[in-house]
Amino acid sequence: MAHAVLPVESRANLGIMLVLASQLVLLVLDVSAKWLSVEGLPTSEIVSVRYGMHLILLLLLFLPVSGSRLFVSNNWKLEVLRGMCLLATTGLNFLAMRYLPLTVTSAIQFTSPLMICAMSGPLLGDKVGWRRWMAIGVGFLGILVIVRPGTEAFQPAALLSLGCAFFLALFSIMTRKLAGVDTAQTQQFYAGATPVILLLPIAFTDWAWPSQPISWLAFFIMGAAGLGGHYLNSVAHRFASPAILAPFSYLSLVYLSLASWLIFQQPPDQWFILGVCIIVSSGLFIWLRERALAKAESAVEVGER
C-alpha cells in the first residue's frame, strides 16, 4: 500500500522559499565534495559515498515509520530515470570541481534554467511567457560574463559543467512530473538507491580513505546534505513549476562564491561579481512578477464570489 500523496498546489512563494533553503543545504554538499577532490580522493569514490550515506540515512529515518510503503512508487520507471539523471549531474559536477573553482562550475550549471524553459513546454505543458524568457535570457548573459567563452579564462573542463546543467534540467522536470505522484520520501529513496546500484561495480576499484579529521567530517556529511537538500527541492516542486523555481537557484552562486573565497582561497573576480548581480536581478524580476500575478488571480477569484 503506497503513501497518500499530497496534491500539487500553486503556491509559488512557498516553493521559492523551499528552493532557497535547499540551496543552503546543498552548499555543504558541494564544499565537502570539493574538499575531498582537493585531497585527491577518486571521483567515483566521492560520488559513491555521497549516495551511500544518502541511502543509509534515508532508511534509518523513514523505514521505521513508513515500512515497505517507502519503496512503492506509482511511476517507478520515471523514478529510476530521474535517479540516473541525478547520478550524471553529480558525477559530472564532482569531476569538474577537480579542475575549476566552485564559482565557475556552479555558474555554468545555471544554463539549466534555459534548458528547463525549452523543455518544460513539450514535457510539462507549462506556458512560459516572453517576460520570463527575457528575464532568464538576462540571467544567461550574466553567466556568459562569468565564464567568458573564447578567452583565456575559459577552460575545456567547463564542458563537464555544461553536461551537468543538461542532466540537472532533466532532473528538475522529472521532479515536477513526480510531484503529486510519489511522496518526497519515496522520491528520495529512488534518488539514492538508483545511483548506489549503478555505482557498485566501480565503487571500490580505487578506494582511498581520508587522511585528515576534517576530511572524515566531509566524508560523512555529504550524504546528509544531499538528502536534506534534495528533499526540500522535491517538496518545492509540489508548489511551483521548474520554470518558476529554476532562476532562484542562481542565488546559490552567492553562497558558493563566499565558500570558495573563505575555504579554498579562490576569491571571485570583478567579472564574477558583475555576472552575479545580473543573474540575481533576473531572479528577483521573476519573483516580483509571480507575486503580481498571484495577487491579480486572487483579486479575480474574490470578485467572482
Side-chain angles (χ1 to χ4, degrees), residues 73-96:
S73 169
N74 294 308
N75 192 340
W76 67 267
K77 292 181 180 179
L78 188 60
E79 288 282 13
V80 170
L81 190 58
R82 176 175 173 269
M84 293 171 67
C85 286
L86 183 59
L87 173 59
T89 298
T90 303
L92 290 169
N93 185 34
F94 287 6
L95 187 59

Side-chain angles (χ1 to χ4, degrees), residues 32-177:
S32 299
K34 174 72 173 180
W35 185 274
L36 295 173
S37 293
V38 170
E39 186 171 321
L41 269 65
T43 301
S44 59
E45 177 182 345
I46 298 172
V47 178
S48 298
V49 170
R50 178 257 183 272
Y51 285 108
M53 293 301 298
H54 172 125
L55 185 59
I56 290 170
L57 287 170
L58 180 80
L59 294 174
L60 288 174
L61 289 171
F62 295 112
L63 189 57
V65 177
S66 303
S68 61
R69 292 175 301 170
L70 181 65
F71 314 126
V72 178
S73 169
N74 294 308
N75 192 340
W76 67 267
K77 292 181 180 179
L78 188 60
E79 288 282 13
V80 170
L81 190 58
R82 176 175 173 269
M84 293 171 67
C85 286
L86 183 59
L87 173 59
T89 298
T90 303
L92 290 169
N93 185 34
F94 287 6
L95 187 59
M97 285 180 186
R98 289 188 172 274
Y99 309 103
L100 300 169
L102 282 174
T103 49
V104 175
T105 58
S106 58
I108 298 172
Q109 285 175 35
F110 287 114
T111 55
S112 64
L114 285 176
M115 301 178 191
I116 288 172
C117 273
M119 292 186 284
S120 61
L123 296 181
L124 291 176
D126 287 348
K127 181 180 179 181
V128 181
W130 68 268
R131 291 181 181 85
R132 196 181 299 163
W133 270 111
M134 182 179 68
I136 294 175
V138 169
F140 181 63
L141 290 177
I143 293 170
L144 293 180
V145 169
I146 294 170
V147 177
R148 283 165 285 159
T151 69
E152 292 181 358
F154 183 79
Q155 299 184 40
L159 296 175
L160 295 171
S161 292
L162 191 61
C164 171
F166 172 74
F167 286 106
L168 180 60
L170 286 177
F171 174 80
S172 296
I173 288 175
M174 291 178 193
T175 300
R176 178 62 174 179
K177 288 180 76 71

Side-chain angles (χ1 to χ4, degrees), residues 194-215:
T194 301
V196 166
I197 293 171
L198 293 175
L199 287 168
L200 277 177
I202 62 170
F204 302 99
T205 55
D206 195 20
W207 195 268
W209 294 108
S211 60
Q212 305 175 58
I214 193 171
S215 299

